[in-house]
Amino acid sequence: MGDSTVTRSQQQLAVSQQTQQHQQGPYVSVITNRTSNLVIRGAMLFSVGVFLALVLNLLQVQRNVTLFPPDVISSIFSSAWWVPPCCGTASAMIGLLYPCIDGHLGEPHKFKREWSSVMRCVAVFVGINHASAKVDFANNIQLSLTLAALSIGLWWTFDRSRSGFGLGVGIALLATLATQLLVYNGVFKYTSPDFLYIRSWLPCIFFAGVITMGNIGRQLALYEYKFIQEKTHQD
Amino acid sequence: MTLREQLREKISAAFYRHGLLCASYPVPIILFTSASILTCCYPLLRLPLPGTGPVEFTTGVRDYSVPSHEPHGDLGERPDWYRGPPVAYIQQVLVKAAVSPWDSSLVPVDVFRSPLGRVFSLLEEIRNHVHSDSSGSRSLESLCLQVTGLFPGLRRMQSVLPEHGCLLVSPGNYWQNQRELFDSDPDLLKTIQKHEPKGLHTSATLRDLLFGVPGKYTGVSHYNRKRVVTYTITVVLSSYDARFLGSLRARLKQLHPSANCSLRDDHMVHVHFKEEIGIAELIPLVTTYIILFAYIYFSTRKIDMVKSKWGLALAAVVTVLSSLLMSVGLCTLFGLTPTLNGGEIFPYLVVVIGLENVLVLTKSVVSTPVDLEVKLRIAQGLSNESWSIMKNMATELCIILIGYFTLVPAIQEFCLFAVVGLVSDFFLQMFFFTTVLSIDIRRMELADLNRRLPAEAGLPPPKPGPLRPREVPPPPRPSPHTITLQTPAFRNLRLPKRLRVVYFLARTRLAQRIIMAGTVIWIGILVYTDPAGIRTYLAAQVSEQSPLGDSGGAGLPPHLAVAPVFRGGDPTSTLSIHAAPDPTPLPENQSQGHHGSGRSGPLPQAPPAVPQITWGAEDEEGWRRLSFRHWPSLFSYYNITLAKRYISILPVIPVTVHLSPQEAIETRHPQDTRHPPLPVPKVSADLQTDLTLYKVAALGLAAGVLLVLLLFCLYRVLCPRNYGQNGVAHGRRRRGDLPCDDYGYSPPISEISPLLLRGHSMDIECLASDGMLLASCCLAGQIRVWDRLSSSSGCWEQRDGWDGMSSATDLSEDEAYPVRRRTALPWPTLFTDQPDLTPLIDTNFTCQPPSHLSTPPRGGFDFGGLVERAYMEHEPPSPSAYPAPSSASSSSVWAMELRGNLIAAGRSSGKLELWDAVEGSLRCRNEDGVSGITALAFLNNRIVAARLNGSLDFFTVEIKKPLGLLQYRGPPGRGSMPPSPCYSSEDVISLQLTRSIQCAHQKPITVLRAAAGRVVTGSQDHTVRVYRLEDSCCLFTLQGHSGGITAIYIDQTMVLASGGQDGAICLWDVLTGSRVSHVYGHRGDVTSLVCTNSCVISSGLDDLICIWDRSTGIKLYSIQQEVGCGASLGVISESLLVTGGQGCVSFWDLNFGDLLQTVYLGQSSDGQGVRQLLVLDNAAIVCDFGSELSLVYVPSVLEKLD
C-alpha cells in the first residue's frame, strides 16, 4: 500500500480550502472575471517589465554603455523616466500576446510549464544581460554572435514553439527599429554604436526578453485558463 | 536506432546496479562522498577570502623606484597588481598642536582655535617650498596632482574642496584657505558641522577628508580632555621626487621639531583597491540572487511523497552547492585561479547546473511500486531515469563546450567551471543524493511499520516475518466497514487554482524565509566588512581602551598628569635615538630664504613647552584609522577611480606645534568667550574609563542577546513547530484513526458508509448493472444478482445466486457452506418484497449473525437504522433443474452484461449465455464461437461479442411471447426500445447470430463499447473501429495510436475517446471519423477513460489521473494517486469523480482537483484494490472488493456539490 507524506502547509491549505469553497470571496470573483483577470495579468507583467528594465539598465549604465543626460544618473532610477514604463508596457503586451496567439493557433504550449522553469528562464535572461554588460569581448561581432547563440539557446531550452520564435524575432526587429529611430532623433545614445546607431547585440537582447516575457505571460495565463474552466464547470 | 537502444539498455543496467550498490551500503558511500567533497574543497583554503577591502604592500622608501609595467621574473612576494606607477602618491603632514601651558583663563574654544589657525602658515610653507638642485628647481606645483574640476554632482562640495590646481586638502579648506575668513568665523565648530551629511553615513565624510584623521581623534570639540588638536595636511602628488620630499620633510621638521617623535619614515605603503561594489552594483546582484532563491523554491516544492521533504530539499541544495565548491576547488588545484567575481557568477552556475536531475530522480524512485524492497526501488527508479539524465547531461555539456569555443576569456572560464561543476554534480547526485534518498525511503518504511504496530496492539502480535500487508492473513472483521474521510494524505500535487492565487502569499512563506535568512547573512557580512562597520569600531574601541585601561589599572592619575611620565617611560623613546639624527643633516640645496624665516618663528616656544604632545606608533600610519573608502572617495570627487589601481602612501611628516596661551588669546574671536566655560566634569578619568568599559560591556551584552534572539527567531521560522512529531502529523493516517487536523478540529464522522454485499467465494471478476439489478460474477464462475428493495433505503438484497459451474465446483462450494451455516443463526425472513422468488429456490436461508446485521450506530449514520440486510443464500441448483453446461468445466465468465432482467455472459470457452436475472434460469445459449469472449455489449436487443481471435459477433435477442400472456413489467419488443426491456419468464428467448465479422481486428479485441447506436472496438493491433449497431457495418477504422488500445469511452453524445498502451489519448469525431485531438498524458498504459461534458478524465498505470479539456485537449491538471492504486474511474455527476484505490474509494471534486472524501471499504483490505467500479444512477457506486461487493451511497457528497 502506498504511502504519501503531506506537508503541513498542504494540510493547512486543505482546511482553508474547505472554508474557501463555501464562501466565494469577492477576490475569487474578480479573478474569475475575464477582463479583470486580463488587467491583473497585465499589471503583473507590467511591474515585472519595469523592474527588469530598472535593474538591467543599471547594469548598462554602470558600464557606460548607454548614456543618458547626466542629471538623472545620480538617482537610483538611472535611466530616463520613460524607459521603465515603455519596457513595462512592452512586456505586458508581449506577455498577453503569447497566450493569446497560442490560443488562436490552437497549439497550446505544453513545454515545461512550471514556475521553476520560468524562474530559470528569467535567470538566464538576466545572465545574458549581465554578460553583455560586464564581460569584455574581443570585438563586437564576437559579442553579438555569442549573445545570439545564447538567445537561441534560451528559446530552445525554455520555449521550443514556432510561434514563440516567430513572435520573438518579429518583436525584436520592431524594437530594434524603434531604438534606431530613437537614437537617430537624439533621445539617447550609445557609447560605441556599431550597428548604425545602436549596438549590434541589441536585437539578441530583445529576442531573449520577448521569450522570457512570453514565458511568464503563458505561465500566468495558465491560471486564468483554469479559472475560466472552473467557471464553466460551476455553471 | 539499434545502437541507441543498446546504449540505452546498457546505461539503464549500469544505473540499476549502481542504485543497488548505493542502497545497500549507504553509510560507507556517504562517508566516501563527504571525504571526496572535503578533498576537492581543500585547495580552497589557500584562496584569499573574498572581500572588497584594499590590499597593502610595503616597500622601502630608499630604494624605491616606480615599478615597471612588465612583470618581472623575480617578483617574489610582489603582488601582481604592483605594476606601473600608482594613481598618486599621498604625502600627509600630521600636525599635533596644543596650547601649553594650559591656563585656567582659557576658554574651551581656545583648545582648537589657535592650533587650527596654524594650518594656514603651514600650508603657506608647503606651497612655497622650492627645492632646487643641479637638475633644476622644483616646487609643489610641478609635482602635485593637478585636478581639473569637481565631479558634476557635487555642488555642495565646491566651496570646500579645491576645484583646480594642486590637490591639497587640509582643515583650512573649510575657510577657503584664507586666514581672514578663519579669523572672522564666529563659530568654527558650526562651520565644520555644516558640511556634514545628515543622517547615517558609513563611508568617508568631508570632515575626515579634510582633517585626515578620524573625527574623534582631531580633538576639535569643546570637550577635549587632552587639549591636543590633531589634523593632517594631505598632499597628493602625481610623481615621486625623493629629493623634493626629503627637503620638505627636513624643512618642516626643522621648523616644528617633534621632540619625542619616533615615527619611522622608511616605508611606503602601496594600497591596492579592488573593484568597488556600490549599491547600484548590488541591485542586479541581489536580483539574481532573488531569482535564484525563487528557482530553488519552486524546484524543491515539487519534492513530494517522501519522509522528510525538507531533508531532501536540503540534500538537493547541498548537492548543488558542494558540486560548485568542488569545481572551484578542482580548478584551483590544477592551477586555474578564479578571476571571476565569485558572487556574481554563482547564481548563474547554480541555474546552469540546476536541481532538475535531483527532482527527477526523486520522482522516479518514489513512483516505483512501494511493495518492492528499498534497494530494488532505488535501483529501478534510477534505471528508469537513466536515459533522460544522461541525455540531459550530454546536451548541457555540448552547450557548454560551444560556449567554450567563443574564445572569450570570461566565458571560457565560466564554461570551465560549469563543466567541472556539472561533472561533480553528476557524481554527487549518483552517490550522495541517491544514498540520502535511499535512507529517506527506508526511514519512511520503518516509520510506517512503527505506526502500524500500535494499531494492532490489541490483536495477537503479528508474525515478525511478513511486513508487507499483502502477506498478513486477514484478521477477523469486527465490523464490516470503517469510515474515514478527508485524508489529506491523498491530496497531492494539484491544488485548486484559484486558491493557489488566493493563498499565494501563504505559500511564498518559504521564499520569504529563505530570502530573510539570506538577507540577514548578507547584512551581517556587510556590517562586518564595512569600513565604518563593527569591525573597525571594535578595533577602535580596543585600541582606545588599551592605554587607558593600562593607566587605570596602574592606578595612575589622569592623562594630563601622566604626560611627563610618558616621556621617560615611553617604550618608544628608545627609538627616538634612531629618529633624532634624521633632521640634523640639512639638505644643502634648501633655499636660504625659507630657512631663515622659518627658523625665527616657532623656535622660542618649542623647547620649554610642556610636552603634552606625544607621538605613538599609532600615529605612524594614521591613515589606517580612516575608512578604507577614504581615498577612493577623495579621488572620486575628481572623477578618478581607484578601482583595480593602487596609490602609494608616503611616510607621514610629523609636525608638533606648541602655542602659548597669549597666542591663543590673541587669536580669539570676540564671540568665543560667550561660550560658557566648560563645566569640567569632576568625574575622574578612572570613572570615565570605567564608563567606557561598561558601555562596551553593555553593548556587547545587548548585541549578544540580540543575536540569540535573532537566531531563535530564525530557528522558529525555519523549523516547523512540530519538529519532533513530524511523522505523526504528516504520515499516512491509519484507517480507523479518528482524523484530526492540525487545529484540533475533528470533522464529523462521515455519513458515507459502504455496504458490503457478500456471497462470492472468490474475487469478483465482472460487474454489470442496469440500475435496478446488479450482477456480479466471480472467478469461480458464480454469478450473483442483487436487487434493491427500495431505492430510498439503500437496502440491497441478494436476490438470487446460482451457479453455472460444473459439479466439481458445486461440491467444493457445498463443503464451504455448511461451516457458515452452522455458525450463523437462522434469520427470520424479513423479505417484504419478493414477488419473483420462485419455488425453485431453496429456502434454506443463511444470514449474517446479528452482530453483523446492521451497521454500527455511528453518529451521523442517518439511514443506518433503515438498512436491513438480509442474505439469502441459495442452494446451488440441482443439475436436473438446469441443464448444466456440458463443457463449462474449464470456462469462466470473461464478460457480462445486464439489461432488463437478462444477463449476457461471455465465457472463455466462447459460449454466450443468456440468463434470467430474476429467476436464475438459463434462457438461451449460443455455442457457435470457439474463441473466448473478451468483451460484450448489450444494447437494446442486440448483443455484440468480441472474441479473443479478433472477430466480432452481432447477436439479436428475439423474444417470442406466448399468446395470451400479458407483460406486466413493461412492453418489450424490437420496435420499441425501452431502456431496460423486461422479459417475462414465460417468453421464449432466442439468440440469433446476425452477423459475424471474422477479422474485425488482427489481434485480440481488448475493449468494446456501445452507445448511441455505435459499437466501438479497440484492439491490440493499435486500431479502433466503429460499427453501426443496426447493420453491423464497419464505419471507420481509426488509426492514431502507437500501442494497443486499452480504454475507450463513448457516450450518447457521440464523443469517442480512446487510450492506448503508448499513454496517448485520442479524441475522435464519430460522425466523420477524424481525430480531434491527440495528447500524451501517461507514462504507461492508459487504464481507464471517462468523459464529462467538459473534460476527459484518464487514469494510467503511472497512478496519475489526468483531467483534460474536452474541446481543446489541454491538460487541466493531474492528480498523483498513491502507488498501486486501482485504475478504475467513475463520474457520478458533472463535477464528482470517484476513483478506486487500495481498499478504498475516493471522491474528487473535478473543478478543483480536490479530494472530497475517501471511504474505506473494509479493515483488512490492504492488498485488495478496487478494480471495477460502477456508477449507478442514483448516486451510488458499486465496486468490487476482493470477494465482496461494496455499495457506497453518496447523497451527502452530492448535496455538498449542489
Side-chain angles (χ1 to χ4, degrees), chain A residues 2-7 11 17 21 24 58 62-63 114 120 130 134 137 142 225-227 229 233, chain B residues 275 280 302 306 344 348 351 356 406 408 448 488-489 494 496-499 729 732 742 1094 1109 1151 1154:
Chain A
D3 197 345
S4 63
T5 315
V6 174
T7 63
Q11 286 185 351
Q17 203 176 324
Q21 272 179 6
Q24 287 224 351
L58 210 58
Q62 273 165 22
R63 292 291 148 153
E114 287 160 340
R120 222 177 168 188
H130 203 127
K134 287 216 165 178
F137 284 84
Q142 200 181 21
Y225 184 75
K226 286 173 192 159
F227 284 129
Q229 205 66 39
H233 277 214
Chain B
E275 196 163 1
K302 287 187 285 187
V306 289
E344 275 183 19
Y348 302 122
V351 167
E356 263 74 20
T406 53
V408 179
D448 218 25
R494 212 59 210 179
K497 293 117 272 172
R498 76 173 170 193
L499 282 168
R732 173 172 54 164
D742 289 339
S1094 59
D1109 184 66
N1151 293 334
D1154 258 358

Side-chain angles (χ1 to χ4, degrees), chain A:
Chain A
M1 184 152 169
D3 197 345
S4 63
T5 315
V6 174
T7 63
R8 183 185 182 78
S9 61
Q10 272 176 323
Q11 286 185 351
Q12 285 172 355
L13 265 180
V15 172
S16 48
Q17 203 176 324
Q18 284 180 328
T19 55
Q20 189 65 27
Q21 272 179 6
H22 297 296
Q23 40 184 2
Q24 287 224 351
Y27 186 84
V28 173
S29 60
V30 167
I31 287 286
T32 45
N33 185 359
R34 195 184 170 90
T35 32
S36 58
N37 185 286
L38 209 65
V39 170
I40 289 174
R41 268 197 296 151
M44 286 172 86
L45 285 165
F46 180 81
S47 51
V48 169
V50 167
F51 178 69
L52 280 181
L54 284 177
V55 168
L56 300 179
N57 233 314
L58 210 58
L59 269 176
Q60 307 274 341
V61 170
Q62 273 165 22
R63 292 291 148 153
N64 285 333
V65 178
T66 326
L67 282 187
F68 284 100
D71 298 273
V72 283
I73 282 190
S74 52
S75 71
I76 187 78
F77 301 102
S78 50
S79 54
W81 62 269
W82 49 266
V83 172
C86 281
C87 294
T89 316
S91 54
M93 276 167 51
I94 294 164
L96 295 178
L97 201 60
Y98 260 79
C100 178
I101 283 191
D102 280 345
H104 279 289
L105 288 184
E107 39 183 30
H109 189 247
K110 299 185 288 287
F111 186 69
K112 286 191 185 172
R113 300 298 294 268
E114 287 160 340
W115 274 112
S116 65
S117 162
V118 172
M119 281 298 146
R120 222 177 168 188
C121 178
V122 175
V124 172
F125 174 60
V126 174
I128 289 176
N129 273 276
H130 203 127
S132 81
K134 287 216 165 178
V135 177
D136 302 317
F137 284 84
N139 52 34
N140 280 319
I141 297 181
Q142 200 181 21
L143 171 63
S144 307
L145 285 181
T146 311
L147 288 189
L150 278 176
S151 309
I152 302 289
L154 182 85
W155 170 78
W156 176 252
T157 323
F158 298 106
D159 193 317
R160 287 195 203 180
S161 67
R162 273 171 301 165
S163 60
F165 188 81
L167 206 58
V169 169
I171 294 178
L173 288 181
L174 275 181
T176 313
L177 192 68
T179 324
Q180 293 274 22
L181 287 177
L182 281 180
V183 179
Y184 179 74
N185 289 323
V187 181
F188 68 105
K189 63 175 182 176
Y190 283 85
T191 40
S192 50
D194 59 333
F195 174 48
L196 297 180
Y197 301 99
I198 60 167
R199 300 295 296 265
S200 51
W201 44 255
L202 207 61
C204 312
I205 296 283
F206 279 136
F207 178 74
V210 170
I211 297 291
T212 308
M213 293 316 297
N215 225 332
I216 299 176
R218 279 168 169 169
Q219 191 69 30
L220 284 176
L222 215 57
Y223 287 111
E224 187 233 20
Y225 184 75
K226 286 173 192 159
F227 284 129
I228 302 288
Q229 205 66 39
E230 258 165 51
K231 222 181 155 191
T232 54
H233 277 214
Q234 278 168 355
D235 297 344

Side-chain angles (χ1 to χ4, degrees), chain B residues 1111-1125:
Chain B
S1111 51
T1112 61
I1114 296 174
K1115 180 149 109 180
L1116 299 179
Y1117 56 91
S1118 58
I1119 301 166
Q1120 177 71 52
Q1121 281 199 301
E1122 280 197 350
V1123 178
C1125 270

Side-chain angles (χ1 to χ4, degrees), chain B residues 450-754:
Chain B
N450 285 341
R451 250 174 297 128
R452 187 171 305 159
L453 283 178
E456 295 171 356
L459 302 172
K463 277 175 254 168
L467 300 183
R468 226 82 34 65
R470 207 164 277 176
E471 294 161 18
V472 177
R477 299 168 187 169
S479 75
H481 60 263
T482 320
I483 306 123
T484 310
L485 92 167
Q486 195 65 43
T487 44
F490 274 89
R491 176 183 306 285
N492 271 320
L493 300 176
R494 212 59 210 179
L495 290 164
K497 293 117 272 172
R498 76 173 170 193
L499 282 168
R500 296 182 127 213
V501 176
V502 171
Y503 288 100
F504 187 76
L505 283 181
R507 250 196 3 257
T508 46
R509 243 181 334 192
L510 172 57
Q512 284 170 355
R513 287 170 184 172
I514 294 176
I515 289 171
M516 204 172 89
T519 320
V520 166
I521 294 169
W522 184 262
I523 289 174
I525 293 172
L526 270 189
V527 164
Y528 188 72
T529 53
D530 191 81
I534 204 159
R535 189 168 57 174
T536 42
Y537 177 72
L538 285 181
Q541 283 285 353
V542 167
S543 65
E544 187 191 50
Q545 206 62 41
S546 47
L548 290 173
D550 283 347
S551 67
L556 286 178
H559 205 271
L560 273 178
V562 167
V565 181
F566 266 124
R567 191 182 181 187
D570 191 15
T572 53
S573 64
T574 50
L575 292 173
S576 67
I577 304 162
H578 142 81
D582 263 344
T584 42
L586 210 64
E588 47 196 51
N589 289 334
Q590 192 160 356
S591 54
Q592 290 301 311
H594 285 286
H595 199 139
S597 68
R599 189 177 288 263
S600 58
L603 264 184
Q605 300 102 341
V610 180
Q612 297 169 329
I613 298 164
T614 55
W615 293 90
E618 74 270 11
D619 293 323
E620 195 170 295
E621 286 172 335
W623 53 269
R624 282 191 197 282
R625 291 188 296 201
L626 294 166
S627 134
F628 75 73
R629 228 172 269 157
H630 183 87
W631 304 117
S633 54
L634 175 63
F635 282 93
S636 71
Y637 291 153
Y638 297 96
N639 211 359
I640 300 169
T641 175
L642 289 187
K644 295 184 178 173
R645 294 158 87 184
Y646 75 101
I647 56 169
S648 301
I649 299 177
L650 302 171
V652 73
I653 303 175
V655 167
T656 312
V657 178
H658 291 283
L659 297 127
S660 66
Q662 291 80 20
E663 208 175 337
I665 290 167
E666 280 164 22
T667 52
R668 262 189 206 167
H669 190 271
Q671 289 197 342
D672 282 355
T673 46
R674 283 192 205 162
H675 288 279
L678 175 70
V680 177
K682 279 297 150 197
V683 193
S684 69
D686 270 348
L687 199 56
Q688 203 85 19
T689 59
D690 277 359
L691 271 183
T692 333
L693 212 86
Y694 288 144
K695 247 167 32 190
V696 170
L699 256 176
L701 196 69
V705 169
L706 203 70
L707 199 71
V708 168
L709 279 179
L710 193 74
L711 283 180
F712 181 69
C713 290
L714 267 181
Y715 173 81
R716 286 300 295 270
V717 168
L718 285 177
C719 297
R721 264 159 289 169
N722 54 348
Y723 194 70
Q725 46 209 329
N726 233 355
V728 179
H730 294 173
R732 173 172 54 164
R733 186 169 288 136
R734 291 301 299 164
R735 286 169 294 115
D737 291 355
L738 204 60
C740 177
D741 63 21
D742 289 339
Y743 303 111
Y745 166 77
S746 175
I749 293 164
S750 152
E751 57 266 68
I752 293 184
S753 67

Side-chain angles (χ1 to χ4, degrees), chain B residues 945-988:
Chain B
R947 294 187 189 273
L948 201 57
N949 59 3
S951 65
L952 201 61
D953 292 345
F954 289 79
F955 296 95
T956 308
V957 180
E958 289 182 2
I959 303 159
K960 296 193 183 80
K961 283 186 208 23
L963 292 171
L965 273 176
L966 284 176
Q967 281 294 332
Y968 69 93
R969 283 188 67 172
R974 293 172 75 169
S976 65
M977 291 176 191
S980 299
C982 287
Y983 312 96
S984 75
S985 53
E986 286 80 14
D987 293 348
V988 177

Side-chain angles (χ1 to χ4, degrees), chain B residues 230 253 310 325 355 439 480 667 689 737 750 754 786 1085:
Chain B
T230 312
K253 279 196 174 180
W310 283 97
L325 284 181
L355 292 164
I439 291 176
T667 52
T689 59
D737 291 355
S750 152
W786 315 77
D1085 298 11

Side-chain angles (χ1 to χ4, degrees), chain B residues 328-340:
Chain B
V328 179
L330 285 176
C331 288
T332 321
L333 186 67
F334 293 112
L336 194 139
T337 47
T339 58
L340 292 172

